[in-house]
Amino acid sequence: MTEPSKTRSSFYRRLYVAWLISQGTDTIPAIMAATGMPRRTAQDTLSALAELDISCAFEQTEGARHLQGHYRIGDWGPINPAWIKTQLPVIKQTLGYP
């Protein structure tokens, strides 16, 4: 398999993180555990979801202290989550994720 382009890797990484959030892997530590991403990469990927018009917001847990909560996808924009689901094996293989 040839090395994927940086554009494809970045796009797939964003789609995969959005998919993880939608499936309940919705905190930075959980995303890091699922993907092996460093914290900064996970945070940057979350921030970059808006570039794909995917609306993702942090929701603080009621009554919790400083920044305890989870992320939630509010709107997928032009992205079809059903396509992501069918393409998960290819996406994960391209990114080198288990």
Side-chain angles (χ1 to χ4, degrees), residues 17-36:
V17 166
W19 174 259
L20 287 174
I21 291 167
S22 75
Q23 300 302 302
T25 303
D26 56 5
T27 65
I28 295 288
I31 292 166
M32 290 168 56
T35 64

Side-chain angles (χ1 to χ4, degrees), residues 9-74:
S9 295
S10 175
F11 181 64
Y12 279 7
R13 187 171 20 266
R14 293 173 192 185
L15 294 181
Y16 189 57
V17 166
W19 174 259
L20 287 174
I21 291 167
S22 75
Q23 300 302 302
T25 303
D26 56 5
T27 65
I28 295 288
I31 292 166
M32 290 168 56
T35 64
M37 283 182 199
R39 177 175 289 278
R40 187 71 201 162
T41 303
Q43 291 169 329
D44 289 349
T45 302
L46 278 169
S47 296
L49 293 178
E51 294 175 13
L52 300 178
D53 289 333
I54 296 174
S55 172
C56 180
F58 182 78
E59 296 181 344
Q60 181 134 350
T61 302
E62 191 172 328
R65 298 182 65 174
H66 182 66
L67 295 180
Q68 291 180 330
H70 63 275
Y71 288 90
R72 185 179 67 79
I73 302 296

